[in-house]
Amino acid sequence: MIEVCRTIRTPPERIFAVLADGWSYASWVVGAAHIRAVDDGWPAVGTRVHHRLGPWPLQLEDQTVVREMEPNRLLELEAHAGPFGVARVRLILEPISDTTTRVRMGWRAAAGFARLVPEAVMSVVLRARNAETLHRVDDIATHRRLRAA
């Protein structure tokens, strides 16, 4: 599993509120370009965000499915990326204090082409990408007004 970690100066509830807003998915996931639809009940287990990936005009339409969820603590996603495969992404929120949370993001190839690439090679690209993803979550959770559920 390729893992990155970021300490964010806000409580886990604010961070989880970002993750629980399926319409914000393209704002924090590097590579997601457009949200086409969000299943009612997101982020309940089995619900999906329907999205486009990549730069226009080469975008792929695909989806991300919630596989495990514990409010304010854990969100595990199965992210589909067309021919590139499927990844399992695990976001764990660990309170450090009342105002600070450590977020750990783990990524592993689950199916498709990505499983054929050695983890050491994937790690070179994905560590930077996933660190940027957590940086975006940080920005949204600490600086933007969150939408009501």
Side-chain angles (χ1 to χ4, degrees), residues 48-139:
R48 298 166 295 168
V49 168
H50 306 267
H51 50 71
R52 289 191 186 123
L53 300 169
W56 184 89
L58 305 174
Q59 293 180 338
L60 301 169
E61 290 193 356
D62 225 319
Q63 65 183 358
T64 294
V65 183
V66 177
R67 291 298 175 211
E68 188 175 348
M69 187 271 293
E70 292 178 37
N72 304 323
R73 187 181 140 359
L74 169 74
L75 185 63
E76 184 169 309
L77 305 171
E78 183 178 275
H80 296 246
F84 301 106
V86 177
R88 282 291 178 112
V89 180
R90 189 170 181 87
L91 295 142
I92 299 171
L93 285 60
E94 302 169 333
I96 295 173
S97 71
D98 290 344
T99 60
T100 306
T101 307
R102 178 179 300 115
V103 181
R104 290 187 296 131
M105 179 180 179
W107 185 102
R108 71 175 172 81
F113 175 75
R115 287 195 64 175
L116 303 175
V117 180
E119 188 171 302
V121 174
M122 292 293 281
S123 180
V124 171
V125 174
L126 287 174
R127 284 195 192 282
R129 175 199 179 266
N130 294 347
E132 173 61 19
T133 292
L134 291 185
H135 182 84
R136 292 177 183 191
V137 169
D138 185 342
D139 283 345

Side-chain angles (χ1 to χ4, degrees), residues 18-28 34-40 42 49-50 147:
V18 173
L19 306 178
D21 176 5
W23 291 102
S24 79
Y25 186 84
S27 298
W28 56 271
H34 174 73
I35 303 304
R36 297 177 291 121
V38 177
D39 288 357
D40 289 340
W42 173 272
V49 168
H50 306 267
R147 292 169 20 136

